[in-house]
Structures are given as structure tokens and as C-alpha cells.
Amino acid sequence: MNLKKHMARLMSKATGTDEGSSGKGNGTAASKVHAAGTADRQVKVSVVIPVYNVEGYIERCIDSLQGQTLGNLEFIFVDDCSTDNSMAAVETWARQDDRVRILQNPENLGAGPSRNRGIEAARGEYLGFVDPDDYVPPEFFELLYTAATADGRHDIAKGLQVNVDTDGREDRSHGKRLNGLLAPKKHNIPLFCRFSGDHWTAIYHNRLFEDEGVRYGTTRKSQDTTFTLRVCLCSEDIVLEPRAEYFYCFQRLGSAINTSSLQRFYNEIAGLDEKIDALLDRGIDSHAYAYLADKLRYYTSCYRAEARYGNHLRDEYERYWHALEKTLSRLPEWHRALELNSYVDALYKSACFTTPGVRFEGEGSVRVSVILPVYNPGTFIDRCIDSLQQQLLDGLEFIFVDDCSTDGSMDKVEAWASQDDRVRILKNDENLGAGPSRNRGIEAARGDYLSFIDSDDYVSPEFYELLYAAATADGGHDIAKGCRRKIDGVTDLVIPHKIELNKRILEHQSKRIPLFRSFTYEHQTALYSTRLFKNGDVRYGQSTNAEDITFLLSACLAAKDIVLCSNAIYYYVQREESLVYSFAPRRFFAELDSFENQVTILKERGVDDDACQYLAVKLKAYSDYYENAAKEHHELDEIRQAYYQRADSILSSIASSDRIKELANIPKEQ
């Protein structure tokens, strides 16, 4: 949609004007309403707008501010020595409306110092910030002010960021993810660890500026995240109002966030220095180190990604790293930030930043084949593809297996494949299920290692680079395993683990318990050496459920060793409509099909006490899941006898079946 028309539509929703009417007409009407003078009344919200060379965008921003439905606003424009005609439209509005104030910087200072000048001049009870190339709907500040002043006075009232590209297409998913982190406080995570971006979407009580001295950073980059850190350290509460939408135009050429240069990365280090100042004043604890580790991951992954396309950045690896190290050395235990971020730590230890001749895209053979079965993941596949496109490891191939999707998911895959020869597409003749689809990918794979990702999940940018480095260290390992973070498909919040699988694997290794009894799920979190698949024994099961358990059992029996890399993060999205959360009777019999496959595999190996222990754990898990499901889904009671008869039939082929039932606490007569 044309952006001018898009703005007119937003304005008409609040004002009832014709969609084709001019926003400037609304501004003229507003000037008459406010002719009495803002100084005679208390200002509810001061809106600060730094301006630098946005001539093609600022009229849209002004139109949106002129149409605000909240009374008692003031608009403080800070001219940061623009060299184009940006300020002409502002000056025209200021002559007609006494709510508009203009400050002139003596020299170009940047967005942070310009906003700070606006803060010093502001008279509002609350302060808000708008960038001149963005815009807000008419009710934006009214919704936020109403939320902020309900039930007393809140320190922060926050809306929702809507990303808008140059064609006017809107994306709310990023904003919803950010707001998901700010839902009612969970797991005792402080606010500053959860609110680190989209500062424009909120209004802030003036006490934070007058009493606490909160200001933006003074660096050319990351001054906004320095601000959100400082404001969150001083805030007592935050209230969310997702109906207040801020339209963030994120692809404007020439904007600070889209500028790629060497100086940008050093500006980020300067911003990191300001953040450390704020945290040192607060007191450095585990939350502070976790916050800094997250920032390090972001900065270094951005640098690494940009360096693929710029030789000048490659040549700067060593100097860039030493600058980071110097900044971190101000912390009392600065290595903790590295330890919390194994990506940065791995780069540091392996000298990826300092080794000449680092390989970049298009060089060498396939290191890792990533296999993805696709069947109707919906919009979840967008984030999956984004995460794969951001991978930092060279020598990847991506094998998508279309399992007869009907929701248009493959259109997005095919669009990527047309632009990237690392992407390969296989098509099933009929819907086969995830296991057989992955097996097709295994047959086609060319990588030294294979990995599997579900099309509704996603991975961190360094995921495959970290795992490959771990897998190939010390002569090579058969399996390199990362860590899974379970994500709520609705809120995007992390669901806490009941069991940290990697800890269990380590504990079992110390007790010499075989790997197949430890690594029993999270198959997507690992790389597997191609040698495991050569003879055809290691494959996924054919059943429609628990096919991954069959695969892991055969892989672990064939593997000589495993190495753990717990900060290579795989994000597993739990959504209720996925097969895993279906309660149809066929699901439970499919699990027994998988159980039968596992019994067959272990019979070939020899059913010793370890095998009995393994099968007992699986039998109990299947039985418990069935019984818990039957409590809420009474139709499952009808299959109880058939279910346990099938389980008993499977076990009857093993001499030690009674021993397995006893270990699983399953009555013999069940």
C-alpha cells in the first residue's frame, strides 16, 4: 500500500475524515484549537523528535503528530544541523501551532544528544520520543497516557512496535515478541534484561529524568539501548498497551541502524562502555553479566555477518576484538560475560577474529547439511528461514523436503532457493510424515555432518558454527550437541526446563551409563557425523509419532562419542496444533509403533540391564502420558484395553518383559 494512503487510512479511523483528505488540513484545524497557548495548561506529554536529513519522510511524521487525539501535548523538534529541507515543514507547522517548539544544535551531535536537549527543555508530565522517519496513529499518545495514569501513576507505559518496509507492508511479529518478554514478571528476571529495544513505543514519567537523571547515550550507535538500560534500572513498574502502535520504518537507506561501516561497530563498543557505567553504578550480578553477554552476542554476530561482504571488516578482526576486550576489562569478573556467551568465547579461543584467511561463503565443500521436513507450518516458517539465512558458518546446505504442504509454506522456500544455491528442495509424492521426509534428506545430503530442524522452530545465528567447531575439535566427534530452549508459540516466552538434558548426559557419562540411555530426545539440537548414516542403520522411524526417539536410539548406539556445546541454542516452538500435542487415539498407538522399533533395535544389540532400564523409562513415559491424557479426554478410556494389550504384545518377545514392567511400575495384569 502507498504510505501516503496508509497514513490517510490511519487518520480517518480516528477522525472520521475521508480517506483522501489531507493530513495538513487536520493540522490547520489543530492550530485553531490550541491557539490559547500550551503554557497556560499542564503539558501531559512532551514529544521529542530529533531531525537530521529526513526530507522525504518528515511530512508523514508531522501529519501523524498533528492528528493526535490527546490534548495538552507539546512537540519539541531538535534540528541536528540538517543539510536538506527537513526543517521547512516543521517551521511551517510551528508558525501555526504554539505546541511546537524548535531547538537548534550548534553542530551535528547525533540522535542521543539531540534527544537529551529535548529532555532538558520538556515540560510534560510524561515524555515520549518519535523518530522523524516514523509515524504514529492518532490515538497513540492518548492510549499510552490513559494506561500510564490508570491506578495511580506508572513509570512507563509501552505500546507495540509495527515494522513497516518501504512498500508499506506491516509486520507486528517482532513487536509482539518484544512485548512478550515484558508480560507479568516471571522467573525473577529484572526489567532491564527484558526491555532493551523499541524505546520509541513508550512514554516515560518525568521523575525518571528530573530525579534519576536518565539520559540517552552520547554515542552515534546504541544510544537508545543505553537509554532503555538506564530507564529500566530506575523504573518501578511498566504497563503495556498493545493497541498503541508505533510504525517503525526500518529499511530507510541512510538511517543510522542500516548504515554499515567500520565506525558503526566501534560506536557500538563505545555504547557498551556507557552500559557498563550504568551497571557498575547498580552493582554487577549474574543478571548484569547475562545482559552484557546478550549484547556481546548481538554485536559480534553483526560484525561477523557484515564481514562476509567487506574486506575492510575482515582485516579489522584483531583490533575490533581487542577494543571489546579493553572495554570488558573494566568489569570485576569480565570473563563471566564471555562464559555466558559461548559464541563469543568460542571465537576468542579459536582466534577466529585474528586468523588470516578465514573462509567465507562459497569457499570449500559442504560442512553441514541441514534437513527440514515441511508440512503446513504456517507463518512460523518465516522465522525459521530468517534464522537459517543469518547463520555464520560457511559451507552449509539446506535441504527442504516438501511433505505435500497445502498452506503456501513452500512458496517462501522456493523464493529463497531462487536466490541462494545452498538451498535444495525435494518433493514427496504423498504425505509421508516427518520421519520418512527426513530420511529422504539424509539420502540426498552431501555434508560432513548432518543436522535437523523443524520448520516451525529456529536457531541462533551462531548455532551451526559453534556445533561444527565443537564437532571437529580434537580429531573430530560423532555427535556435537547444543541446548534447547522451549518457546511458547503464543507469547514467545521461554518455558522453563524440568530437566536440563545436557546435565543429565554429563552425569551419566561420569557413571559410565551408555549414551543411548541419556540422549533420548532433543534430536534437533545436534550435528551427526555422516559416517553414522553410511550403512543405512541410522534412520528415522516410519511411525507418525516418536520417530525421533527411534533415530536417537540407533544414532547413539552407533556413535563413539558426544561433545556438548550448551550455548548453541535451538529454539523449539511449542504450539498446540502441532502433532506432538494431538490427543487422537492414533497418536498413542503410533508411539507404541515407535516403541516396537526400539525393542527390535535393542534385541539386535542384546537386551541387558541397560536396555531394560531404557525400555522401562520409555514404557513408563508412554503410559503416564496416556493416563494423564485420558483424565481430560475420556474417549481415550475406550482404547485402554487395546493399548495395554499392544504394549504387552511388544514386550512378550523379550525374556525380561516382567523385569521391564516392574521397573516401569506397570502392573503385569494391566
Side-chain angles (χ1 to χ4, degrees):
M1 176 184 293
N2 179 277
L3 288 179
K4 192 74 173 178
K5 291 182 179 179
H6 177 72
M7 269 305 305
R9 176 174 61 81
L10 288 176
M11 296 288 291
S12 66
K13 286 169 63 177
T15 64
T17 58
D18 182 87
E19 186 170 301
S21 64
S22 168
K24 291 184 179 179
N26 290 328
T28 303
S31 68
K32 295 178 181 177
V33 172
H34 296 280
T38 306
D40 296 335
R41 302 177 305 279
Q42 181 185 14
V43 176
K44 292 178 177 177
V45 179
S46 297
V47 184
V48 178
I49 309 103
V51 180
Y52 180 72
N53 290 0
V54 285
E55 182 178 359
Y57 302 87
I58 196 166
E59 286 196 17
R60 179 184 59 193
C61 177
I62 289 174
D63 286 347
S64 75
L65 297 177
Q66 288 174 336
Q68 290 302 302
T69 56
L70 179 66
N72 294 21
L73 290 170
E74 71 170 355
F75 304 99
I76 303 173
F77 289 85
V78 185
D79 180 9
D80 197 21
C81 299
S82 286
T83 58
D84 64 2
N85 206 32
S86 298
M87 290 302 298
V90 179
E91 291 164 355
T92 298
W93 183 21
R95 287 193 294 269
Q96 301 169 348
D97 192 335
D98 62 3
R99 299 176 302 165
V100 180
R101 302 164 62 193
I102 298 175
L103 306 179
Q104 175 69 55
N105 287 344
E107 59 182 340
N108 179 258
L109 301 176
S114 296
R115 293 191 188 103
N116 290 340
R117 285 204 66 198
I119 290 170
E120 297 291 340
R123 300 173 298 197
E125 181 185 4
Y126 283 85
L127 276 68
F129 303 90
V130 174
D131 278 0
D133 49 357
D134 300 335
Y135 54 98
V136 289
E139 67 278 7
F140 181 73
F141 288 109
E142 183 170 35
L143 285 170
L144 288 182
Y145 185 78
T146 300
T149 54
D151 306 318
R153 289 293 189 268
H154 299 281
D155 279 344
I156 305 174
K158 184 183 183 304
L160 178 74
Q161 177 169 310
V162 181
N163 288 346
V164 184
D165 67 15
T166 52
D167 293 322
R169 290 173 296 202
E170 300 170 4
D171 178 14
R172 288 168 175 78
S173 60
H174 178 69
K176 289 179 179 179
R177 285 197 292 274
L178 293 175
N179 279 11
L181 297 173
L182 295 169
K185 190 174 180 181
K186 294 183 178 181
H187 319 311
N188 200 33
I189 300 174
L191 180 61
F192 76 88
C193 286
R194 296 179 290 140
F195 182 18
S196 60
D198 66 340
H199 65 110
W200 322 266
T201 61
I203 60 173
Y204 308 87
H205 197 280
N206 61 11
R207 79 159 191 89
L208 298 169
F209 306 97
E210 294 179 3
D211 300 339
E212 303 291 348
V214 171
R215 295 294 186 271
Y216 280 82
T218 58
T219 61
R220 294 278 179 174
K221 183 72 178 168
S222 299
Q223 32 73 32
D224 53 338
T225 52
T226 300
F227 167 77
T228 51
L229 171 61
R230 290 169 174 169
V231 81
C232 289
L233 290 174
C234 299
S235 296
E236 296 178 0
D237 68 344
I238 185 170
V239 61
L240 298 180
E241 175 46 279
R243 294 177 300 169
E245 295 186 329
Y246 181 102
F247 290 85
Y248 172 63
C249 301
F250 67 100
Q251 288 186 347
R252 180 175 70 83
L253 294 177
S255 68
I257 199 167
N258 285 315
T259 300
S260 175
S261 69
L262 182 60
Q263 189 56 47
R264 163 196 164 182
F265 296 101
Y266 285 105
N267 287 338
E268 284 179 336
I269 294 177
L272 183 64
D273 206 46
E274 292 185 326
K275 293 174 178 63
I276 289 175
D277 284 336
L279 291 171
L280 286 172
D281 290 342
R282 168 191 181 270
I284 301 291
D285 59 8
S286 59
H287 291 303
Y289 281 114
Y291 170 89
L292 291 171
D294 181 65
K295 293 303 173 190
L296 279 174
R297 185 208 64 77
Y298 175 75
Y299 295 157
T300 51
S301 62
C302 286
Y303 190 103
R304 177 84 165 157
E306 292 289 346
R308 294 175 183 276
Y309 308 106
N311 290 328
H312 66 295
L313 294 179
R314 300 187 202 184
D315 297 338
E316 283 287 320
Y317 274 146
E318 184 171 2
R319 192 161 74 90
Y320 176 73
W321 176 258
H322 287 313
L324 268 178
E325 189 176 76
K326 182 179 179 181
T327 297
L328 290 171
S329 67
R330 299 177 54 212
L331 297 166
E333 299 176 76
W334 67 277
H335 279 284
R336 285 189 62 188
L338 294 179
E339 291 164 4
L340 285 166
N341 184 351
S342 65
Y343 170 53
V344 178
D345 199 26
L347 290 178
Y348 178 63
K349 289 178 178 177
S350 63
C352 285
F353 275 93
T354 58
T355 303
V358 175
R359 297 200 318 164
F360 286 84
E361 207 64 60
E363 303 176 18
S365 60
V366 177
R367 291 172 168 179
V368 179
S369 297
V370 183
I371 298 169
L372 303 87
V374 180
Y375 181 72
N376 293 355
T379 57
F380 288 95
I381 199 171
D382 295 339
R383 182 162 58 181
C384 178
I385 290 175
D386 286 345
S387 75
L388 297 179
Q389 290 174 334
Q390 294 169 19
Q391 289 304 301
L392 302 175
L393 180 67
D394 310 309
L396 289 170
E397 71 170 356
F398 305 100
I399 303 174
F400 289 84
V401 185
D402 179 9
D403 198 21
C404 300
S405 278
T406 59
D407 67 347
S409 301
M410 289 303 300
D411 294 342
K412 300 164 186 176
V413 179
E414 290 165 359
W416 182 20
S418 68
Q419 302 171 354
D420 191 335
D421 59 8
R422 298 176 302 166
V423 181
R424 302 166 61 194
I425 297 175
L426 307 178
K427 293 183 180 291
N428 292 342
D429 294 330
E430 59 182 343
N431 180 257
L432 301 176
S437 296
R438 294 190 190 103
N439 291 340
R440 283 203 67 195
I442 290 170
E443 298 294 337
R446 301 173 297 193
D448 298 330
Y449 285 84
L450 276 64
S451 187
F452 307 89
I453 179 172
D454 288 349
S455 55
D456 49 359
D457 299 336
Y458 58 102
V459 289
S460 56
E462 65 276 8
F463 182 72
Y464 293 111
E465 184 168 56
L466 280 174
L467 288 182
Y468 185 79
T472 55
D474 305 318
H477 303 277
D478 280 344
I479 303 176
K481 183 186 179 305
C483 185
R484 185 176 78 175
R485 291 285 179 267
K486 190 180 289 187
I487 304 295
D488 188 299
V490 177
T491 66
D492 263 346
L493 292 174
V494 175
I495 301 172
H497 288 269
K498 293 181 179 178
I499 299 173
E500 286 286 355
L501 184 58
N502 286 12
K503 291 182 180 178
R504 188 176 80 179
I505 292 173
L506 285 172
E507 290 171 0
H508 281 197
Q509 284 182 330
S510 68
K511 298 176 182 177
R512 298 187 180 279
I513 296 174
L515 179 61
F516 76 87
R517 282 185 54 194
S518 307
F519 187 10
T520 56
Y521 57 96
E522 297 187 7
H523 68 109
Q524 313 102 320
T525 61
L527 300 187
Y528 306 89
S529 173
T530 191
R531 81 159 191 87
L532 300 177
F533 304 93
K534 291 295 186 185
N535 61 10
D537 291 340
V538 177
R539 292 293 187 273
Y540 282 83
Q542 300 294 313
S543 63
T544 56
N545 204 274
E547 79 291 339
D548 53 325
I549 307 301
T550 303
F551 164 77
L552 274 177
L553 175 59
S554 57
C556 289
L557 288 173
K560 295 177 181 177
D561 65 348
I562 186 171
V563 61
L564 301 178
C565 185
S566 292
N567 279 310
I569 307 299
Y570 182 101
Y571 294 94
Y572 173 78
V573 179
Q574 178 175 303
R575 53 191 184 103
E576 292 183 357
E577 67 269 26
S578 68
L579 180 62
V580 177
Y581 298 97
S582 166
F583 293 104
R586 62 183 173 83
R587 177 255 165 87
F588 298 95
F589 285 106
E591 286 184 336
L592 290 181
D593 290 341
S594 173
F595 185 62
E596 184 173 29
N597 290 335
Q598 294 165 59
V599 168
T600 301
I601 292 169
L602 288 173
K603 282 172 63 179
E604 294 175 358
R605 169 192 179 272
V607 182
D608 56 11
D609 188 61
D610 282 317
C612 287
Q613 294 279 356
Y614 171 91
L615 290 172
V617 169
K618 289 300 176 187
L619 181 60
K620 180 169 176 54
Y622 296 150
S623 173
D624 286 351
Y625 195 83
Y626 168 78
E627 293 295 344
N628 289 331
K631 291 176 183 177
E632 297 184 10
H633 302 269
H634 299 297
E635 66 273 15
L636 294 177
D637 288 332
E638 299 175 5
I639 68 167
R640 182 182 302 278
Q641 183 176 0
Y643 178 79
Y644 282 106
Q645 282 179 348
R646 175 76 198 288
D648 192 63
S649 174
I650 293 170
L651 288 173
S652 65
S653 64
I654 303 176
S656 50
S657 61
D658 288 343
R659 164 72 171 154
I660 294 169
K661 286 185 177 182
E662 179 183 346
L663 290 169
N665 293 320
I666 304 294
K668 295 179 183 179
E669 63 275 9
Q670 183 82 57

